[in-house]
Amino acid sequence: MTDQWRNSYDVAVVGGGAAGLSGALMLARARRSVVVFDAGAPRNAPAAGVHGLLALDGVAPAELLERGRVEVRGYGGRVVNGEVTTVARDADRFIVTMADGRSVRARRLLVTTGVVDELPNVPGLRERWGRDVLHCPYCHGWEVRDQAIGVLASGPFAVHQALLFRQWSAEVTLFTGVMPTLTGAEAEQVAARGIRVVDGAVASLETVDDRLVGIRLVNGTVVARSVLVVQSRMVARASFLAPLGLRPMEHPSGTGEHIPADPTGRTEVPGIWVAGNVTEPATQVGGAAAAGAAAAAQINADLVAEETREAVAAHRYPFARDMEAQVCERVMGDRRHGL
């Protein structure tokens, strides 16, 4: 049944990561018809494992998602591989269209498409992203403990990142690059924690046998490092929502874009919820999964409220629908006979 294409669902989930699959699981268990659209480009794909996730610490990202797909399908949910390009409203439904032209109708929409990391334009950096070019100490700190760590000042939290990674290693170097001069308080903090500061723009990364070994400055100096920390700018994957009036805004943290929502994930557009990195860019996998489940519970409650209103109306006026159907049939009959 779940392998057959359907045209209508209670809920369409756009995004097949932890938030989307967790939301779909909750909805499927609530006996809702649900479809998940997965574009197949998870943000954490380059990482060797997902860390800090209780009972699943170190699981490969691909394995985690495959387990999630199996669970969703086990409760009757459908997971479709493909990118959603447009979403339009049709009365009280949404029409979700994929790049291949297929479309479905849904009563509610849960968007969990995440973000794209915009990285500093340093030769060799993107190729090493998620391996020995990192961003989150809680995701990767244990794995790089006691190594020579460099922090590239690529955003407003460079000093904060350096101080955090100092928890995992005594060998931390801050490459100031083009960042403004450290404030007096910042300079005192990094000095007190034994963090070396290197001025000058970074030209490239030095590698040997597919391993990072150093950071080359524009003046030719190479500083030996086996790990480089950068702050990406996180851009929401949500352009398809613009026609509905939902556009990414700057996140208050200054880390990038997000789709604003209330604490339950409900957006300002009726019928649309968001969860995970698309609304909270810094959320880790466990938090994204929890947010997806919480939003799904709110969506189910919203559907229950709608269905209850309809049931009450039918209970109060039990003949209203029969009369309406009779009128429609009479009108169609008159048209068939040219009256």
Side-chain angles (χ1 to χ4, degrees), residues 56-80:
L56 289 172
D57 185 71
V59 64
E63 180 183 350
L64 178 66
L65 296 183
E66 183 53 33
R67 289 188 190 184
R69 296 185 193 105
V70 170
E71 291 177 350
V72 169
R73 288 173 174 143
Y75 287 99
R78 178 167 174 77
V79 181
V80 177

Side-chain angles (χ1 to χ4, degrees), residues 4 14 53 93 172 271 314:
Q4 297 175 356
V14 186
L53 186 60
R93 297 290 191 271
V172 177

